């Protein structure tokens, strides 16, 4: 592992600050409120000369990287940056100096004294003089190490969950297929010897085995939805939802009102899963002679708010939180088939993409969900 146990003495800091830097630094040090905030902040702060040398650091930065103030003042921020990350923000840094942007932020790795790497979010701002000349930088380093460890743990847990689900799926589906096949043989080869009650029992067993197969597939699918998808593209949701409607809605029994929908930068398969599960849910549980389904969207800040409404029997208030739980059914399981995972899958997809889902129920039952409306930001966010 790369270590920064000692400072690099191949370069020496400038012996004297420019008169402008000295005056600004002197004014800063005499500013008591600023000094108090600087010293007591839990976030690492530093003042840097235009060419990158440390002019001042706070105790939080000393604790974060393990160097003393004296050691900091003898080097540059660049020397404490992980070698692979030193060039990450070159364009943003130059853009600040050129006056194109006021500040930027970027994730970088820094070398800790004695060895080790610290993941941090660097916020860099340029302070200018009264004549608009670059004077010094204010750098803020927010420790991301705990978040990185948590994300790594979650990634490992998700991979283990997917592996476990795959093994369970394989180990359960193989004997299940055998049971289904033997039931088919029994029904077909001994048809003349079976009573009507016997044939009915075999048909029910075959239906139960198909239902279990569907549940195993749903569990495997659910396990694969633990993180945001990278396979994104611009989607015309009008086309996608229209195709879903044609696939799952019996239009002879339902009226469908589809309002204009936006284009969305998302994973097409996951968006299809969301709409298909919600629309299938509206069809499956509808108890009216003539069903009604309404689908639409509206902009809500940085998100889109979509809704799928139906005129089915509604959902009791006591059930509205539980319907998104694994295997929960708010209708009798014998009356309506299904794995009980459809809404849980929808919730997992929406939340993995940073959105929320909810339901209200009155004259119409309305499911709403909010995926992000815009493309994700780049790693470096300009001011």
């Amino acid at each position: 592992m790369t270590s920064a146990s000692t400072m690099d003495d191949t370069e020496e800091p400038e012996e004297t600050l420019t008169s402008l830097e000295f005056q600004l630094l002197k004014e800063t040090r005499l500013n008591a409120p600023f000094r108090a905030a600087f010293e007591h902040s839990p976030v690492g702060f530093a003042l840097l000369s235009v060419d990158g040398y440390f002019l001042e650091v706070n105790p939080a930065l000393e604790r974060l990287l393990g160097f003393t103030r004296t050691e900091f003042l003898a080097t540059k921020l660049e020397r404490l940056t992980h070698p692979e990350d030193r060039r990450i923000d070159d364009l943003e840094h130059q853009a600040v100096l050129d006056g194109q942007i006021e500040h930027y932020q970027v994730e970088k790795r820094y070398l800790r004294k004695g060895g080790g790497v610290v993941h941090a979010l660097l916020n860099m701002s340029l302070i200018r003089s009264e004549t608009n000349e670059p004077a010094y930088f204010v750098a803020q380093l927010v420790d991301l190490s705990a978040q990185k460890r948590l994300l790594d743990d979650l990634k490992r847990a998700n991979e283990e969950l997917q592996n476990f689900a795959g093994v369970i799926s394989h180990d359960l589906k193989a004997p299940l297929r055998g049971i289904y096949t033997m039931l088919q043989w029994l029904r077909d080869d001994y048809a003349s010897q079976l009573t009507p009650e016997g044939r009915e029992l075999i048909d029910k067993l075959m239906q139960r085995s198909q239902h279990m197969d569907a549940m195993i597939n749903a569990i495997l699918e659910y396990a694969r939805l633990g993180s945001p998808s990278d396979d994104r593209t611009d989607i015309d949701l009008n086309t996608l939802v229209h195709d879903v409607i044609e696939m799952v809605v019996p239009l002879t029994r339902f009226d469908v009102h589809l309002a204009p929908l936006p284009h969305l930068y998302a994973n097409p398969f996951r968006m299809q899963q969301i709409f298909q599960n919600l629309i299938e849910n509206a069809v499956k549980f509808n108890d009216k002679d003539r069903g009604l389904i309404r689908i639409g969207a509206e902009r809500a800040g940085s998100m889109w708010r979509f809704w799928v409404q139906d005129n089915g029997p509604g959902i009791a208030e006591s059930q509205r939180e539980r319907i998104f739980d694994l295997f929960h059914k708010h209708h009798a399981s014998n009356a309506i088939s299904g794995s009980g995972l459809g809404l849980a899958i929808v919730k997992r997809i929406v939340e993995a993409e940073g959105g929320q889902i909810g339901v209200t129920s009155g004259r119409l039952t309305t499911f709403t969900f909010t995926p992000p409306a815009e493309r994700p930001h780049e790693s470096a966010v300009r001011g």
Side-chain angles (χ1 to χ4, degrees):
M1 181 176 292
T2 306
S3 174
S5 57
T6 58
M7 290 291 181
D8 183 355
D9 295 326
T10 58
E11 289 187 51
E12 293 296 334
E14 294 179 357
E15 294 183 1
T16 59
L17 302 173
T18 66
S19 58
L20 177 59
E21 289 174 345
F22 181 82
Q23 182 62 31
L24 289 169
L25 192 56
K26 180 180 177 182
E27 291 174 359
T28 300
R29 286 175 173 163
L30 293 176
N31 188 322
F34 176 87
R35 168 57 63 183
F38 186 82
E39 293 289 341
H40 297 290
S41 172
V43 174
F45 273 98
L47 305 183
L48 304 169
S49 66
V50 175
D51 54 355
Y53 283 99
F54 285 97
L55 302 176
E56 189 62 277
V57 297
N58 72 342
L61 189 59
E62 294 180 67
R63 292 191 296 271
L64 180 63
L65 298 185
F67 295 102
T68 66
R69 177 176 177 274
T70 301
E71 289 172 321
F72 273 115
L73 299 186
T75 191
K76 288 182 173 184
L77 178 61
E78 180 183 2
R79 295 183 197 165
L80 303 186
T81 307
H82 192 286
E84 295 177 4
D85 292 353
R86 288 178 181 173
R87 305 274 73 87
I88 286 178
D89 56 341
D90 280 355
L91 293 178
E92 286 77 12
H93 191 85
Q94 189 59 49
V96 170
L97 288 172
D98 293 342
Q100 299 174 15
I101 57 177
E102 295 180 0
H103 57 84
Y104 67 91
Q105 63 177 215
V106 64
E107 289 185 26
K108 301 181 79 171
R109 290 168 294 175
Y110 293 90
L111 307 177
R112 182 171 173 80
K113 183 178 180 179
V117 174
V118 175
H119 291 265
L121 179 67
L122 171 67
N123 291 278
M124 187 75 86
S125 302
L126 178 65
I127 305 301
R128 294 181 176 274
S129 68
E130 293 181 357
T131 58
N132 204 36
E133 293 296 318
Y136 61 93
F137 284 100
V138 177
Q140 178 190 55
L141 274 72
V142 181
D143 187 5
L144 298 180
S145 299
Q147 293 91 321
K148 289 291 184 182
R149 286 193 296 271
L150 178 59
L151 287 174
D152 289 342
D153 290 344
L154 288 174
K155 183 179 179 180
R156 283 193 296 270
N158 188 53
E159 289 174 351
E160 290 173 1
L161 175 61
Q162 291 188 33
N163 293 335
F164 175 76
V167 170
I168 293 299
S169 172
H170 178 270
D171 290 351
L172 289 179
K173 286 171 73 71
L176 190 61
R177 284 193 297 267
I179 292 172
Y180 185 84
T181 300
M182 285 187 286
L183 286 170
Q184 278 185 313
W185 291 344
L186 182 63
R187 183 191 62 185
D188 298 340
D189 294 349
Y190 295 88
S192 60
Q193 302 177 41
L194 292 172
T195 64
E197 291 79 8
R199 286 193 293 272
E200 182 181 358
L201 179 59
I202 290 176
D203 287 341
K204 286 183 177 180
L205 288 172
M206 292 176 67
Q207 289 174 1
R208 295 292 190 274
S209 64
Q210 286 180 314
H211 177 64
M212 183 173 289
D213 185 72
M215 290 184 66
I216 293 171
N217 288 334
I219 291 172
L220 186 58
E221 182 180 3
Y222 184 83
R224 290 170 175 164
L225 298 174
S227 58
S229 171
D230 293 328
D231 186 16
R232 302 169 188 262
T233 187
D234 288 305
I235 310 168
D236 182 354
L237 289 178
N238 298 284
T239 301
L240 184 147
V241 175
H242 183 268
D243 291 343
V244 170
I245 291 170
E246 286 196 336
M247 181 169 53
V248 303
V249 180
L251 298 178
T252 56
R253 196 170 70 83
F254 279 84
D255 294 320
V256 180
H257 299 280
L258 179 60
L261 300 177
H263 286 240
L264 198 67
Y265 185 70
N267 179 287
F269 176 69
R270 290 192 173 184
M271 291 306 299
Q272 178 180 325
Q273 284 183 303
I274 292 174
F275 281 105
Q276 184 169 328
N277 275 297
L278 292 178
I279 295 171
E280 282 183 341
N281 193 69
V283 171
K284 186 186 302 181
F285 296 106
N286 199 287
D287 60 346
K288 304 297 189 298
D289 293 333
R290 189 70 185 174
L292 172 65
I293 298 175
R294 292 177 176 169
I295 303 165
E298 63 182 1
R299 189 66 181 258
S302 63
M303 315 290 280
W304 277 105
R305 178 178 174 270
F306 293 89
W307 63 85
V308 177
Q309 296 180 320
D310 69 82
N311 66 337
I315 302 170
E317 186 172 356
S318 61
Q319 298 289 315
R320 292 176 196 170
E321 291 295 328
R322 298 183 58 206
I323 60 172
F324 297 105
D325 294 343
L326 290 172
F327 304 114
H328 179 75
K329 294 182 179 181
H330 60 283
H331 292 277
S333 58
N334 291 332
I336 299 174
S337 64
S339 65
L341 271 173
L343 292 179
I345 288 173
V346 170
K347 183 173 187 287
R348 191 169 174 88
I349 293 173
V350 171
E351 291 184 349
E353 299 297 327
Q356 295 180 325
I357 186 167
V359 62
T360 59
S361 190
R363 186 179 66 86
L364 296 175
T365 297
T366 305
F367 285 90
T368 60
F369 64 96
T370 56
E374 299 173 350
R375 293 173 182 260
H377 295 297
E378 301 293 336
S379 60
V381 180
R382 298 188 176 191

